[in-house]
Amino acid sequence: MTTNTQHGPEPEPAAAPPDPDAEPAVPGGWSALVYGRTLQVDQWWRALPAGVDRQGPVADAVRAAVAGGNRLEAGPRFLLHRDARGVLVGAACELGRISRTMVHDRFGRPLYGFVGWYRAAAPDAADPRIPELAELTAHLADWAGPVYTEWIAPTWEAVGREEAEPRTTRPVPAPWHGAAAPSPTAAVWLPAHSTGTHLLPESDAAALWSAAAGARDRCLLATGWRRRSDAEAHRFTHLTSTDCRAYELLRPPPPPPRPAPPRPVPVVGPGPAGGPTGSDGATGGIGGTGGTGGTEGPGDPEPSLAETFRAGRRALRRMTRGLFGSEESGTAEPPSSPGPPKPPGAGGRRYGDDPVTGRRYYGDLDEASAGPAQPPVRPAQPDGARPASTGPASTVPRPTGPTGPAAPGRRAEATPFRRTRAVDPQQADLSGMFGEFDEPGPPPPAAPPAAPPAGTPPAAPSDPQRARSEAPGPGPTDDSATGEPS
């Protein structure tokens, strides 16, 4: 079954001239309607009754029953359409069911189509007899086959769209002759619902068809659906489907939401941050009307994301130029506080050696950038006084003590001492737990005995017993109250 078909409305060309060899019109007759494509041209209308166009309700009913050939290989679908203009009876099927020729395209794929009969309404004519569903099922190939062959043959070999235009048909006697067949058990007629579609099981198709043929009401009935999802239910008034088990009223799908109107893109001018005032009184800027800034009024359109990004980028560039413009241009800005201006390049920091203490420090370049480091001028000090240190000396007190003689050629060094970490007053009571905070330093080394002066006789060895005998005894004591000896 072919699928490369055109199911939308086709352009309406000028009406084809009547065929002089065609049969004369029969009052109250039925006109043939054939829907199917040719061998090489993808154009589907082959025969149309007079007064029926390809954009009208009759053509829409045919396309709705065909449904793009979906699942027509499983069996035909029968259509009964009635409105104030006329009645249409026919079937959509694979064309191989009703004919042996002209049923494949040039690629060998089977074709599908629709063959039906249309009768225009006449005010003084009697109601036409509509065949029952059982008659159409039994005589589909006998009635539809000759009609298809007659109206497909003239355009089957067409090679252009102009040659494949449909032919206009005239009313002729219906193929169903004689009295009507006995109708099945009459079903209760369900008038067309204004906001829904009547869906019934396929077993009720014959009774529903008979009720629709005798009711003379507006209807668009299609039977033989294998699945309800194959049909666009909102285009019909009555449906029968194999997968339906009980009656249902199918509501039409909700209408799609209306698309939002396009948002107008605001025109942002290339003016400065403090641009001219716009028509709404807002100062030009981001979102304003006069420049790239300002306050957006209640009726102004919301700026797009791209415009907002570009405006923010321009504002950032202006701010960057205001902050770093002096450094980029090489000009010095006026100082923010009174005082002499700094020399060019001042204000940095570097490592250096303190000229007094010789320690390494990290400080400003304000003094060093002006020229080479010069030793500071020391104020005059009294004899024997040491100048106060100006470097970052340690604030930890150094223990003092006697120092021994320095070795020849070496400077006397201070007694080594141990640094201790400062203890928070709130943690002073934890010194017993962390003894490292208050550990006493090592005792200083004992000073060596001084050498006696030259010419002094050496001292005699001391006698302990003699020392005890020569020691003075206890003398008189003084009364602590009177101060006299007791």
Side-chain angles (χ1 to χ4, degrees):
M1 181 177 59
T2 184
T3 56
N4 60 341
T5 58
Q6 174 181 347
H7 308 295
E10 300 176 4
E12 182 69 19
D19 189 355
D21 298 334
E23 298 180 4
V26 176
W30 295 78
S31 302
L33 186 148
V34 180
Y35 179 81
R37 62 159 293 169
T38 63
L39 178 63
Q40 302 183 26
V41 183
D42 192 11
Q43 187 159 316
W44 286 76
W45 289 105
R46 305 275 58 82
L48 282 171
V52 176
D53 55 49
R54 285 173 280 186
Q55 288 80 29
V58 176
D60 291 341
V62 171
R63 283 189 289 264
V66 173
N70 193 10
R71 264 181 266 278
L72 281 179
E73 70 278 1
R77 289 192 285 266
F78 296 94
L79 176 68
L80 173 58
H81 169 60
R82 177 191 283 114
D83 59 7
R85 297 184 178 183
V87 180
L88 174 66
V89 178
C93 63
E94 281 195 348
L95 298 176
R97 290 180 176 270
I98 60 176
S99 178
R100 295 183 178 180
T101 60
M102 299 176 289
V103 295
H104 296 84
D105 64 0
R106 58 178 178 171
F107 302 105
R109 294 172 296 186
L111 297 175
Y112 57 86
F114 181 91
V115 178
W117 298 266
Y118 178 78
R119 185 180 187 273
D124 53 350
D127 293 336
R129 186 181 80 86
I130 298 176
E132 297 294 336
L133 185 60
E135 292 183 82
L136 282 175
T137 304
H139 302 283
L140 179 61
D142 300 334
W143 294 348
V147 175
Y148 172 75
T149 303
E150 177 184 2
W151 294 103
I152 193 68
T155 57
W156 176 251
E157 300 290 343
V159 294
R161 300 188 66 87
E162 295 180 358
E163 300 178 8
E165 288 298 323
R167 303 299 179 92
T168 302
T169 61
R170 295 184 178 184
V172 296
W176 48 89
H177 302 289
S183 60
T185 304
V188 177
W189 173 243
L190 302 172
H193 201 281
S194 58
T195 60
T197 301
H198 302 287
L199 176 64
L200 287 81
E202 188 63 28
S203 57
D204 297 338
L208 181 61
W209 183 282
S210 178
R216 306 298 190 265
D217 293 340
R218 182 185 70 88
C219 71
L220 179 53
L221 167 64
T223 66
W225 297 93
R226 296 301 181 267
R227 297 179 183 177
R228 69 178 74 183
S229 59
D230 296 338
E232 298 182 30
H234 63 280
R235 304 178 66 177
F236 298 90
T237 60
H238 301 76
L239 292 173
T240 60
S241 177
T242 304
D243 62 348
C244 178
R245 298 293 180 265
Y247 167 79
E248 296 182 33
L249 180 62
L250 304 179
R251 298 291 182 179
R258 298 181 58 185
R263 179 182 300 174
V265 179
V267 179
V268 180
T277 304
S279 58
D280 57 348
T283 304
I286 300 178
T289 58
T292 58
T295 304
E296 187 174 310
D300 296 339
E302 184 178 354
S304 61
L305 181 60
E307 292 293 334
T308 305
F309 175 78
R310 286 193 290 268
R313 186 169 57 182
R314 287 192 293 268
L316 181 60
R317 284 200 299 264
R318 290 194 299 270
M319 182 178 65
T320 306
R321 286 195 298 267
L323 293 176
F324 306 104
S326 60
E327 297 184 5
E328 296 177 358
S329 60
T331 59
E333 294 189 2
S336 57
S337 60
K342 297 180 180 180
R349 304 179 70 85
R350 67 174 181 87
Y351 282 97
D353 297 332
D354 188 88
V356 178
T357 62
R359 293 180 177 273
R360 194 76 169 173
Y361 77 96
Y362 179 72
D364 295 336
L365 292 177
D366 294 343
E367 299 178 0
S369 60
Q374 301 293 337
V377 179
R378 299 184 179 181
Q381 300 289 341
D383 296 340
R386 294 183 60 189
S389 175
T390 58
S394 173
T395 58
V396 181
R398 297 172 180 258
T400 59
T403 58
R410 297 187 60 183
R411 187 180 60 181
E413 297 182 357
T415 304
F417 66 96
R418 181 177 179 181
R419 293 173 180 265
T420 59
R421 289 182 293 177
V423 181
D424 191 345
Q426 297 181 0
Q427 298 181 356
D429 56 341
L430 301 179
S431 59
M433 182 180 299
F434 303 95
E436 62 183 271
F437 293 145
D438 298 290
E439 290 180 1
T456 304
S462 61
D463 187 359
Q465 296 181 357
R466 181 179 178 179
R468 284 195 299 269
S469 61
E470 294 178 358
T477 59
D478 296 336
D479 191 356
S480 59
T482 60
E484 299 179 355
S486 57

